[in-house]
Amino acid sequence: QVQLVESGGGLAQPGGSLRLSCAASGSIVSTYDMEWHRQAPGKQRELVARITSGGHTNYLDSVKGRFTVSRDNAKNKVYLQMNSLKPEDTAVYYCYAEIQSRAAGPIVRYWGQGTQVTVSS
């Protein structure tokens, strides 16, 4: 059984910063892509940032230059540093990870429960 638990959400002022963390726990042999997604009210969930096991990153165009994704493979954690926050960044942010729980076993996709980020003055 694998769980992803996010933390670090909350309220920030426009121009402010927040750092999200996501910890994967349970039976883990290997962790592949780790991602952050977000969903604003009335909108579809969208991919915000991806980081591969090798450290390659991709970002949603609207967050490039403001958000930075990183990971600690030894701790099975992924982070999202969010700077220069804008009201349109307000959403529930979800952690996603592709995890293998046993050698030669399947790679399974997992989601966290989400953490609310609100950007408002």
PDB file of all heavy atoms in Angstrom, residues 10-43:
ATOM      1  N   GLY A  10      -1.978  26.774   1.676  1.00  0.00           N
ATOM      2  CA  GLY A  10      -2.470  27.808   2.563  1.00  0.00           C
ATOM      3  C   GLY A  10      -2.793  29.073   1.816  1.00  0.00           C
ATOM      4  O   GLY A  10      -3.009  29.052   0.597  1.00  0.00           O
ATOM      5  N   LEU A  11      -2.783  30.173   2.548  1.00  0.00           N
ATOM      6  CA  LEU A  11      -3.117  31.480   1.988  1.00  0.00           C
ATOM      7  C   LEU A  11      -1.844  32.287   1.770  1.00  0.00           C
ATOM      8  O   LEU A  11      -0.978  32.337   2.664  1.00  0.00           O
ATOM      9  CB  LEU A  11      -4.051  32.223   2.942  1.00  0.00           C
ATOM     10  CG  LEU A  11      -4.419  33.655   2.577  1.00  0.00           C
ATOM     11  CD1 LEU A  11      -5.240  33.675   1.288  1.00  0.00           C
ATOM     12  CD2 LEU A  11      -5.196  34.312   3.718  1.00  0.00           C
ATOM     13  N   ALA A  12      -1.726  32.896   0.608  1.00  0.00           N
ATOM     14  CA  ALA A  12      -0.595  33.760   0.315  1.00  0.00           C
ATOM     15  C   ALA A  12      -1.104  35.018  -0.378  1.00  0.00           C
ATOM     16  O   ALA A  12      -2.146  34.995  -1.054  1.00  0.00           O
ATOM     17  CB  ALA A  12       0.417  33.048  -0.581  1.00  0.00           C
ATOM     18  N   GLN A  13      -0.391  36.091  -0.214  1.00  0.00           N
ATOM     19  CA  GLN A  13      -0.730  37.336  -0.902  1.00  0.00           C
ATOM     20  C   GLN A  13      -0.156  37.309  -2.313  1.00  0.00           C
ATOM     21  O   GLN A  13       0.834  36.614  -2.566  1.00  0.00           O
ATOM     22  CB  GLN A  13      -0.164  38.527  -0.131  1.00  0.00           C
ATOM     23  CG  GLN A  13      -0.843  38.771   1.202  1.00  0.00           C
ATOM     24  CD  GLN A  13      -0.413  40.091   1.822  1.00  0.00           C
ATOM     25  OE1 GLN A  13       0.645  40.625   1.505  1.00  0.00           O
ATOM     26  NE2 GLN A  13      -1.236  40.619   2.709  1.00  0.00           N
ATOM     27  N   PRO A  14      -0.739  38.043  -3.224  1.00  0.00           N
ATOM     28  CA  PRO A  14      -0.142  38.157  -4.560  1.00  0.00           C
ATOM     29  C   PRO A  14       1.308  38.612  -4.455  1.00  0.00           C
ATOM     30  O   PRO A  14       1.624  39.530  -3.685  1.00  0.00           O
ATOM     31  CB  PRO A  14      -1.019  39.209  -5.237  1.00  0.00           C
ATOM     32  CG  PRO A  14      -2.338  39.081  -4.564  1.00  0.00           C
ATOM     33  CD  PRO A  14      -2.016  38.771  -3.125  1.00  0.00           C
ATOM     34  N   GLY A  15       2.162  37.934  -5.202  1.00  0.00           N
ATOM     35  CA  GLY A  15       3.590  38.203  -5.128  1.00  0.00           C
ATOM     36  C   GLY A  15       4.314  37.396  -4.083  1.00  0.00           C
ATOM     37  O   GLY A  15       5.547  37.412  -4.031  1.00  0.00           O
ATOM     38  N   GLY A  16       3.568  36.693  -3.263  1.00  0.00           N
ATOM     39  CA  GLY A  16       4.168  35.897  -2.203  1.00  0.00           C
ATOM     40  C   GLY A  16       4.621  34.528  -2.660  1.00  0.00           C
ATOM     41  O   GLY A  16       4.589  34.214  -3.858  1.00  0.00           O
ATOM     42  N   SER A  17       5.034  33.723  -1.686  1.00  0.00           N
ATOM     43  CA  SER A  17       5.576  32.398  -1.978  1.00  0.00           C
ATOM     44  C   SER A  17       4.975  31.344  -1.055  1.00  0.00           C
ATOM     45  O   SER A  17       4.579  31.647   0.071  1.00  0.00           O
ATOM     46  CB  SER A  17       7.103  32.395  -1.782  1.00  0.00           C
ATOM     47  OG  SER A  17       7.737  33.286  -2.662  1.00  0.00           O
ATOM     48  N   LEU A  18       4.907  30.140  -1.575  1.00  0.00           N
ATOM     49  CA  LEU A  18       4.558  28.950  -0.798  1.00  0.00           C
ATOM     50  C   LEU A  18       5.400  27.797  -1.296  1.00  0.00           C
ATOM     51  O   LEU A  18       5.802  27.774  -2.469  1.00  0.00           O
ATOM     52  CB  LEU A  18       3.075  28.603  -0.954  1.00  0.00           C
ATOM     53  CG  LEU A  18       2.040  29.464  -0.230  1.00  0.00           C
ATOM     54  CD1 LEU A  18       0.631  29.049  -0.669  1.00  0.00           C
ATOM     55  CD2 LEU A  18       2.184  29.355   1.269  1.00  0.00           C
ATOM     56  N   ARG A  19       5.623  26.838  -0.424  1.00  0.00           N
ATOM     57  CA  ARG A  19       6.342  25.631  -0.818  1.00  0.00           C
ATOM     58  C   ARG A  19       5.498  24.423  -0.452  1.00  0.00           C
ATOM     59  O   ARG A  19       5.173  24.217   0.710  1.00  0.00           O
ATOM     60  CB  ARG A  19       7.701  25.543  -0.120  1.00  0.00           C
ATOM     61  CG  ARG A  19       8.560  24.387  -0.625  1.00  0.00           C
ATOM     62  CD  ARG A  19       9.824  24.286   0.174  1.00  0.00           C
ATOM     63  NE  ARG A  19      10.795  23.369  -0.425  1.00  0.00           N
ATOM     64  CZ  ARG A  19      11.478  22.452   0.252  1.00  0.00           C
ATOM     65  NH1 ARG A  19      11.281  22.334   1.548  1.00  0.00           N
ATOM     66  NH2 ARG A  19      12.344  21.675  -0.356  1.00  0.00           N
ATOM     67  N   LEU A  20       5.159  23.645  -1.476  1.00  0.00           N
ATOM     68  CA  LEU A  20       4.400  22.425  -1.270  1.00  0.00           C
ATOM     69  C   LEU A  20       5.357  21.237  -1.180  1.00  0.00           C
ATOM     70  O   LEU A  20       6.381  21.201  -1.861  1.00  0.00           O
ATOM     71  CB  LEU A  20       3.422  22.189  -2.411  1.00  0.00           C
ATOM     72  CG  LEU A  20       2.430  23.312  -2.713  1.00  0.00           C
ATOM     73  CD1 LEU A  20       1.490  22.876  -3.844  1.00  0.00           C
ATOM     74  CD2 LEU A  20       1.658  23.719  -1.488  1.00  0.00           C
ATOM     75  N   SER A  21       4.992  20.298  -0.336  1.00  0.00           N
ATOM     76  CA  SER A  21       5.757  19.062  -0.209  1.00  0.00           C
ATOM     77  C   SER A  21       4.818  17.879  -0.375  1.00  0.00           C
ATOM     78  O   SER A  21       3.627  17.961  -0.038  1.00  0.00           O
ATOM     79  CB  SER A  21       6.418  18.970   1.170  1.00  0.00           C
ATOM     80  OG  SER A  21       7.311  20.033   1.381  1.00  0.00           O
ATOM     81  N   CYS A  22       5.358  16.800  -0.885  1.00  0.00           N
ATOM     82  CA  CYS A  22       4.580  15.566  -1.033  1.00  0.00           C
ATOM     83  C   CYS A  22       5.492  14.406  -0.671  1.00  0.00           C
ATOM     84  O   CYS A  22       6.577  14.263  -1.253  1.00  0.00           O
ATOM     85  CB  CYS A  22       4.063  15.422  -2.447  1.00  0.00           C
ATOM     86  SG  CYS A  22       3.264  13.843  -2.795  1.00  0.00           S
ATOM     87  N   ALA A  23       5.047  13.599   0.261  1.00  0.00           N
ATOM     88  CA  ALA A  23       5.830  12.451   0.696  1.00  0.00           C
ATOM     89  C   ALA A  23       5.115  11.164   0.317  1.00  0.00           C
ATOM     90  O   ALA A  23       3.924  10.992   0.628  1.00  0.00           O
ATOM     91  CB  ALA A  23       6.046  12.508   2.197  1.00  0.00           C
ATOM     92  N   ALA A  24       5.845  10.280  -0.334  1.00  0.00           N
ATOM     93  CA  ALA A  24       5.318   8.959  -0.661  1.00  0.00           C
ATOM     94  C   ALA A  24       5.777   7.974   0.396  1.00  0.00           C
ATOM     95  O   ALA A  24       6.950   7.965   0.774  1.00  0.00           O
ATOM     96  CB  ALA A  24       5.805   8.520  -2.032  1.00  0.00           C
ATOM     97  N   SER A  25       4.856   7.165   0.887  1.00  0.00           N
ATOM     98  CA  SER A  25       5.202   6.185   1.914  1.00  0.00           C
ATOM     99  C   SER A  25       4.550   4.850   1.605  1.00  0.00           C
ATOM    100  O   SER A  25       3.600   4.769   0.845  1.00  0.00           O
ATOM    101  CB  SER A  25       4.742   6.675   3.292  1.00  0.00           C
ATOM    102  OG  SER A  25       3.343   6.816   3.336  1.00  0.00           O
ATOM    103  N   GLY A  26       5.104   3.800   2.220  1.00  0.00           N
ATOM    104  CA  GLY A  26       4.581   2.462   1.986  1.00  0.00           C
ATOM    105  C   GLY A  26       5.635   1.600   1.326  1.00  0.00           C
ATOM    106  O   GLY A  26       6.831   1.839   1.453  1.00  0.00           O
ATOM    107  N   SER A  27       5.167   0.606   0.589  1.00  0.00           N
ATOM    108  CA  SER A  27       6.064  -0.312  -0.081  1.00  0.00           C
ATOM    109  C   SER A  27       6.533   0.305  -1.401  1.00  0.00           C
ATOM    110  O   SER A  27       5.777   0.375  -2.365  1.00  0.00           O
ATOM    111  CB  SER A  27       5.345  -1.637  -0.351  1.00  0.00           C
ATOM    112  OG  SER A  27       6.188  -2.524  -1.044  1.00  0.00           O
ATOM    113  N   ILE A  28       7.772   0.772  -1.439  1.00  0.00           N
ATOM    114  CA  ILE A  28       8.302   1.484  -2.607  1.00  0.00           C
ATOM    115  C   ILE A  28       9.667   0.920  -2.976  1.00  0.00           C
ATOM    116  O   ILE A  28      10.580   0.937  -2.163  1.00  0.00           O
ATOM    117  CB  ILE A  28       8.418   2.990  -2.335  1.00  0.00           C
ATOM    118  CG1 ILE A  28       7.046   3.581  -2.033  1.00  0.00           C
ATOM    119  CG2 ILE A  28       9.049   3.692  -3.536  1.00  0.00           C
ATOM    120  CD1 ILE A  28       7.094   5.013  -1.550  1.00  0.00           C
ATOM    121  N   VAL A  29       9.768   0.433  -4.209  1.00  0.00           N
ATOM    122  CA  VAL A  29      11.051  -0.021  -4.738  1.00  0.00           C
ATOM    123  C   VAL A  29      11.654   1.063  -5.616  1.00  0.00           C
ATOM    124  O   VAL A  29      12.824   1.396  -5.503  1.00  0.00           O
ATOM    125  CB  VAL A  29      10.888  -1.335  -5.517  1.00  0.00           C
ATOM    126  CG1 VAL A  29      12.171  -1.688  -6.262  1.00  0.00           C
ATOM    127  CG2 VAL A  29      10.473  -2.460  -4.591  1.00  0.00           C
ATOM    128  N   SER A  30      10.824   1.619  -6.507  1.00  0.00           N
ATOM    129  CA  SER A  30      11.289   2.677  -7.403  1.00  0.00           C
ATOM    130  C   SER A  30      10.177   3.699  -7.602  1.00  0.00           C
ATOM    131  O   SER A  30       8.999   3.346  -7.646  1.00  0.00           O
ATOM    132  CB  SER A  30      11.686   2.108  -8.771  1.00  0.00           C
ATOM    133  OG  SER A  30      12.766   1.214  -8.657  1.00  0.00           O
ATOM    134  N   THR A  31      10.584   4.946  -7.744  1.00  0.00           N
ATOM    135  CA  THR A  31       9.639   6.029  -8.053  1.00  0.00           C
ATOM    136  C   THR A  31      10.055   6.663  -9.358  1.00  0.00           C
ATOM    137  O   THR A  31      11.222   7.033  -9.530  1.00  0.00           O
ATOM    138  CB  THR A  31       9.620   7.077  -6.927  1.00  0.00           C
ATOM    139  OG1 THR A  31       9.320   6.420  -5.690  1.00  0.00           O
ATOM    140  CG2 THR A  31       8.551   8.136  -7.189  1.00  0.00           C
ATOM    141  N   TYR A  32       9.145   6.781 -10.265  1.00  0.00           N
ATOM    142  CA  TYR A  32       9.431   7.303 -11.593  1.00  0.00           C
ATOM    143  C   TYR A  32       8.991   8.762 -11.669  1.00  0.00           C
ATOM    144  O   TYR A  32       9.366   9.563 -10.826  1.00  0.00           O
ATOM    145  CB  TYR A  32       8.807   6.395 -12.652  1.00  0.00           C
ATOM    146  CG  TYR A  32       9.407   5.011 -12.610  1.00  0.00           C
ATOM    147  CD1 TYR A  32       8.862   3.999 -11.802  1.00  0.00           C
ATOM    148  CD2 TYR A  32      10.555   4.706 -13.341  1.00  0.00           C
ATOM    149  CE1 TYR A  32       9.437   2.745 -11.743  1.00  0.00           C
ATOM    150  CE2 TYR A  32      11.136   3.440 -13.277  1.00  0.00           C
ATOM    151  CZ  TYR A  32      10.576   2.472 -12.470  1.00  0.00           C
ATOM    152  OH  TYR A  32      11.165   1.232 -12.394  1.00  0.00           O
ATOM    153  N   ASP A  33       8.178   9.116 -12.645  1.00  0.00           N
ATOM    154  CA  ASP A  33       7.746  10.506 -12.759  1.00  0.00           C
ATOM    155  C   ASP A  33       6.988  10.932 -11.502  1.00  0.00           C
ATOM    156  O   ASP A  33       6.162  10.187 -10.987  1.00  0.00           O
ATOM    157  CB  ASP A  33       6.839  10.720 -13.975  1.00  0.00           C
ATOM    158  CG  ASP A  33       7.607  10.736 -15.274  1.00  0.00           C
ATOM    159  OD1 ASP A  33       8.835  10.542 -15.237  1.00  0.00           O
ATOM    160  OD2 ASP A  33       6.975  10.951 -16.326  1.00  0.00           O
ATOM    161  N   MET A  34       7.271  12.160 -11.054  1.00  0.00           N
ATOM    162  CA  MET A  34       6.489  12.776  -9.981  1.00  0.00           C
ATOM    163  C   MET A  34       6.002  14.118 -10.499  1.00  0.00           C
ATOM    164  O   MET A  34       6.748  14.831 -11.190  1.00  0.00           O
ATOM    165  CB  MET A  34       7.321  12.937  -8.712  1.00  0.00           C
ATOM    166  CG  MET A  34       7.878  11.628  -8.176  1.00  0.00           C
ATOM    167  SD  MET A  34       8.711  11.777  -6.580  1.00  0.00           S
ATOM    168  CE  MET A  34       7.298  11.699  -5.456  1.00  0.00           C
ATOM    169  N   GLU A  35       4.776  14.440 -10.201  1.00  0.00           N
ATOM    170  CA  GLU A  35       4.157  15.609 -10.810  1.00  0.00           C
ATOM    171  C   GLU A  35       3.310  16.378  -9.790  1.00  0.00           C
ATOM    172  O   GLU A  35       2.866  15.811  -8.777  1.00  0.00           O
ATOM    173  CB  GLU A  35       3.257  15.176 -11.974  1.00  0.00           C
ATOM    174  CG  GLU A  35       3.972  14.426 -13.064  1.00  0.00           C
ATOM    175  CD  GLU A  35       3.045  13.849 -14.116  1.00  0.00           C
ATOM    176  OE1 GLU A  35       1.816  14.005 -13.966  1.00  0.00           O
ATOM    177  OE2 GLU A  35       3.544  13.245 -15.086  1.00  0.00           O
ATOM    178  N   TRP A  36       3.054  17.626 -10.134  1.00  0.00           N
ATOM    179  CA  TRP A  36       2.070  18.439  -9.429  1.00  0.00           C
ATOM    180  C   TRP A  36       1.000  18.850 -10.443  1.00  0.00           C
ATOM    181  O   TRP A  36       1.322  19.339 -11.517  1.00  0.00           O
ATOM    182  CB  TRP A  36       2.711  19.681  -8.827  1.00  0.00           C
ATOM    183  CG  TRP A  36       3.564  19.380  -7.643  1.00  0.00           C
ATOM    184  CD1 TRP A  36       4.922  19.227  -7.627  1.00  0.00           C
ATOM    185  CD2 TRP A  36       3.134  19.193  -6.294  1.00  0.00           C
ATOM    186  NE1 TRP A  36       5.354  18.952  -6.356  1.00  0.00           N
ATOM    187  CE2 TRP A  36       4.266  18.921  -5.513  1.00  0.00           C
ATOM    188  CE3 TRP A  36       1.881  19.222  -5.655  1.00  0.00           C
ATOM    189  CZ2 TRP A  36       4.202  18.692  -4.132  1.00  0.00           C
ATOM    190  CZ3 TRP A  36       1.811  18.996  -4.301  1.00  0.00           C
ATOM    191  CH2 TRP A  36       2.959  18.735  -3.552  1.00  0.00           C
ATOM    192  N   HIS A  37      -0.230  18.663 -10.060  1.00  0.00           N
ATOM    193  CA  HIS A  37      -1.371  19.081 -10.854  1.00  0.00           C
ATOM    194  C   HIS A  37      -2.197  20.044 -10.001  1.00  0.00           C
ATOM    195  O   HIS A  37      -2.033  20.087  -8.773  1.00  0.00           O
ATOM    196  CB  HIS A  37      -2.237  17.887 -11.235  1.00  0.00           C
ATOM    197  CG  HIS A  37      -1.560  16.902 -12.139  1.00  0.00           C
ATOM    198  ND1 HIS A  37      -1.993  16.638 -13.431  1.00  0.00           N
ATOM    199  CD2 HIS A  37      -0.474  16.102 -11.938  1.00  0.00           C
ATOM    200  CE1 HIS A  37      -1.200  15.729 -13.974  1.00  0.00           C
ATOM    201  NE2 HIS A  37      -0.274  15.394 -13.089  1.00  0.00           N
ATOM    202  N   ARG A  38      -3.074  20.786 -10.649  1.00  0.00           N
ATOM    203  CA  ARG A  38      -3.964  21.656  -9.883  1.00  0.00           C
ATOM    204  C   ARG A  38      -5.341  21.708 -10.550  1.00  0.00           C
ATOM    205  O   ARG A  38      -5.449  21.481 -11.759  1.00  0.00           O
ATOM    206  CB  ARG A  38      -3.403  23.062  -9.740  1.00  0.00           C
ATOM    207  CG  ARG A  38      -3.346  23.872 -11.024  1.00  0.00           C
ATOM    208  CD  ARG A  38      -2.634  25.203 -10.790  1.00  0.00           C
ATOM    209  NE  ARG A  38      -2.589  26.018 -12.004  1.00  0.00           N
ATOM    210  CZ  ARG A  38      -1.897  27.144 -12.111  1.00  0.00           C
ATOM    211  NH1 ARG A  38      -1.175  27.599 -11.085  1.00  0.00           N
ATOM    212  NH2 ARG A  38      -1.912  27.840 -13.241  1.00  0.00           N
ATOM    213  N   GLN A  39      -6.317  21.997  -9.718  1.00  0.00           N
ATOM    214  CA  GLN A  39      -7.678  22.132 -10.230  1.00  0.00           C
ATOM    215  C   GLN A  39      -8.348  23.305  -9.541  1.00  0.00           C
ATOM    216  O   GLN A  39      -8.513  23.296  -8.316  1.00  0.00           O
ATOM    217  CB  GLN A  39      -8.478  20.847 -10.009  1.00  0.00           C
ATOM    218  CG  GLN A  39      -9.841  20.871 -10.680  1.00  0.00           C
ATOM    219  CD  GLN A  39     -10.485  19.508 -10.749  1.00  0.00           C
ATOM    220  OE1 GLN A  39     -10.118  18.585 -10.022  1.00  0.00           O
ATOM    221  NE2 GLN A  39     -11.440  19.347 -11.651  1.00  0.00           N
ATOM    222  N   ALA A  40      -8.719  24.292 -10.339  1.00  0.00           N
ATOM    223  CA  ALA A  40      -9.440  25.453  -9.833  1.00  0.00           C
ATOM    224  C   ALA A  40     -10.939  25.185  -9.947  1.00  0.00           C
ATOM    225  O   ALA A  40     -11.361  24.367 -10.773  1.00  0.00           O
ATOM    226  CB  ALA A  40      -9.050  26.693 -10.618  1.00  0.00           C
ATOM    227  N   PRO A  41     -11.747  25.866  -9.165  1.00  0.00           N
ATOM    228  CA  PRO A  41     -13.203  25.650  -9.228  1.00  0.00           C
ATOM    229  C   PRO A  41     -13.738  25.866 -10.635  1.00  0.00           C
ATOM    230  O   PRO A  41     -13.422  26.867 -11.291  1.00  0.00           O
ATOM    231  CB  PRO A  41     -13.746  26.708  -8.263  1.00  0.00           C
ATOM    232  CG  PRO A  41     -12.642  26.955  -7.311  1.00  0.00           C
ATOM    233  CD  PRO A  41     -11.381  26.836  -8.119  1.00  0.00           C
ATOM    234  N   GLY A  42     -14.511  24.899 -11.103  1.00  0.00           N
ATOM    235  CA  GLY A  42     -15.120  25.003 -12.418  1.00  0.00           C
ATOM    236  C   GLY A  42     -14.179  24.740 -13.575  1.00  0.00           C
ATOM    237  O   GLY A  42     -14.577  24.898 -14.742  1.00  0.00           O
ATOM    238  N   LYS A  43     -12.940  24.331 -13.286  1.00  0.00           N
ATOM    239  CA  LYS A  43     -11.972  24.088 -14.355  1.00  0.00           C
ATOM    240  C   LYS A  43     -11.463  22.658 -14.289  1.00  0.00           C
ATOM    241  O   LYS A  43     -11.570  21.989 -13.261  1.00  0.00           O
ATOM    242  CB  LYS A  43     -10.807  25.074 -14.251  1.00  0.00           C
ATOM    243  CG  LYS A  43     -11.200  26.521 -14.489  1.00  0.00           C
ATOM    244  CD  LYS A  43      -9.972  27.401 -14.557  1.00  0.00           C
ATOM    245  CE  LYS A  43     -10.347  28.839 -14.887  1.00  0.00           C
ATOM    246  NZ  LYS A  43      -9.140  29.710 -14.986  1.00  0.00           N
TER     247      LYS A  43
END
